[in-house]
Amino acid sequence: MRRRTALGACVGMAAGLGILTGAVGAQNALADLGVAEATARREIVRTLTGGYVNVYQATKAFKAASPAVRVTLVKGAIAWAKAYTESTAFKADYEKQRVADVPQSPQSKGTVDDEIAKQRAERKKSLEDAKKNVEKMPANMRPQMEASIKQMEQQFAKMDTDPQMVAMVRQGIEMQRANDQKTYEQQVQAHDKRFPANPNVLIARRLQEFLATTKDVDFTAKLVPAGAKQRFADPRLEEKPTEWKLCYRAGKDVVAAARDAAQAWLTAIPTK
């Protein structure tokens, strides 16, 4: 189950970490939050590349924490994430996922002439199969089917002998291969953006996204009842993205701590 919470969104964007992990200096922080270290490590790459935050296991512990402890958890989460993303283990896990997600290039078997010959063979076989099926049909149904087969034969013969039709078939194959190649190249570009060779580039991007989203959170904004829920009294704030609203709910101190830690990390991270 994946869902965003106020702290989860802030920490996830700031640290590239999908789980609340660790209080500063606490060896048993993950256990206290009910989060296995293996789970936390697994989620880092997913969060960095997918942009979503998996905080389900730690939600209960965070909600039960006091405001001061929540700030400590945020600082600890980012400190843990920073330390782990600098490790050899993280770099190996990231590279493994990056390679696994590389798009597959179009598999064109043979030349265009080979493809034309293959299509001709397939058409020939379809006619042979149709003729065999006619023999199994009731006598009163055969004339109609035989007429259809004759029409198919004429159409296929034209495709194989009419210069204009032959050119159209060739052009269709060439266009399909060109489109497949273009789609592949677009997929490679998208992959390279999602999985840059240097993971620090992606980490920096997530940190920048967090800082941009939270730079104008108005913690003095008023809420008004809206049925069983609440909404912002200012309609313009109601149009803000979900992450902005979640960080508003996390509170000023929590977001300030996350922003300070994120900015310090961004300043120090090497991206070249």
Side-chain angles (χ1 to χ4, degrees):
M1 179 177 181
R2 302 187 186 284
R3 66 187 191 186
R4 288 183 180 274
T5 67
L7 181 59
C10 291
V11 173
M13 288 187 293
L17 174 63
I19 283 188
L20 300 177
T21 51
V24 176
Q27 296 297 321
N28 62 342
L30 292 177
D32 290 344
L33 288 168
V35 179
E37 185 172 353
T39 300
R41 293 184 175 187
R42 183 176 64 247
E43 291 299 324
I44 286 183
V45 173
R46 294 181 183 179
T47 298
L48 282 172
T49 58
Y52 55 71
V53 183
N54 181 2
V55 294
Y56 177 68
Q57 295 185 61
T59 298
K60 183 178 180 180
F62 170 68
K63 286 185 176 180
S66 66
V69 171
R70 291 180 181 183
V71 169
T72 299
L73 287 173
V74 169
K75 292 179 179 179
I78 298 176
W80 190 94
K82 181 177 183 296
Y84 183 64
T85 56
E86 292 172 351
S87 71
T88 302
F90 165 74
K91 291 176 174 62
D93 288 343
Y94 177 84
E95 182 62 16
K96 180 179 179 181
Q97 188 63 46
R98 191 179 78 88
V99 172
D101 277 43
V102 170
Q104 296 298 310
S105 61
Q107 299 298 315
S108 297
K109 297 182 179 179
T111 65
V112 173
D113 287 333
D114 292 334
E115 181 65 24
I116 291 174
K118 178 183 176 183
Q119 292 183 8
R120 285 176 177 171
E122 290 173 347
R123 290 195 295 270
K124 181 179 179 181
K125 185 177 186 305
S126 68
L127 279 173
E128 293 173 349
D129 291 343
K131 290 177 180 179
K132 291 178 182 179
N133 290 332
V134 169
E135 299 173 359
K136 303 175 184 179
M137 297 175 66
N140 63 328
M141 298 178 63
R142 291 179 185 176
Q144 182 177 358
M145 188 60 183
E146 288 171 346
S148 296
I149 292 175
K150 186 174 183 62
Q151 185 177 10
M152 288 171 62
E153 285 179 320
Q154 294 172 347
Q155 181 182 2
F156 291 168
K158 185 175 182 179
M159 292 177 67
D160 294 340
T161 59
D162 185 299
Q164 186 175 3
M165 291 293 292
V166 172
M168 288 178 63
V169 171
R170 177 178 294 276
Q171 184 180 33
I173 295 172
E174 291 173 344
M175 289 180 62
Q176 183 60 57
R177 292 189 176 194
N179 288 335
D180 290 345
Q181 181 62 28
K182 183 178 180 180
T183 298
Y184 166 70
E185 291 171 358
Q186 291 172 339
Q187 291 173 339
V188 169
Q189 290 178 356
H191 173 270
D192 290 345
K193 182 176 181 180
R194 185 183 180 197
F195 285 95
N198 181 357
N200 283 345
V201 173
L202 185 55
I203 295 170
R205 185 189 308 162
R206 295 301 182 206
L207 293 168
Q208 290 164 348
E209 289 173 356
F210 167 72
L211 292 170
T213 298
T214 58
K215 67 180 180 180
D216 63 347
V217 178
D218 182 3
F219 295 101
T220 66
K222 303 300 182 183
L223 297 175
V224 295
K229 301 181 180 180
Q230 290 185 314
R231 62 177 176 79
F232 287 101
D234 185 342
R236 294 173 299 178
L237 298 184
E238 196 60 34
E239 299 301 317
K240 289 287 188 178
T242 300
E243 288 79 9
W244 189 95
K245 296 177 182 178
L246 290 173
C247 286
Y248 165 85
R249 295 188 179 92
K252 184 176 181 179
D253 291 343
V254 169
V255 174
R259 283 181 59 82
D260 288 345
Q263 185 60 66
W265 187 356
L266 182 61
T267 300
I269 192 170
T271 57
K272 294 183 180 181

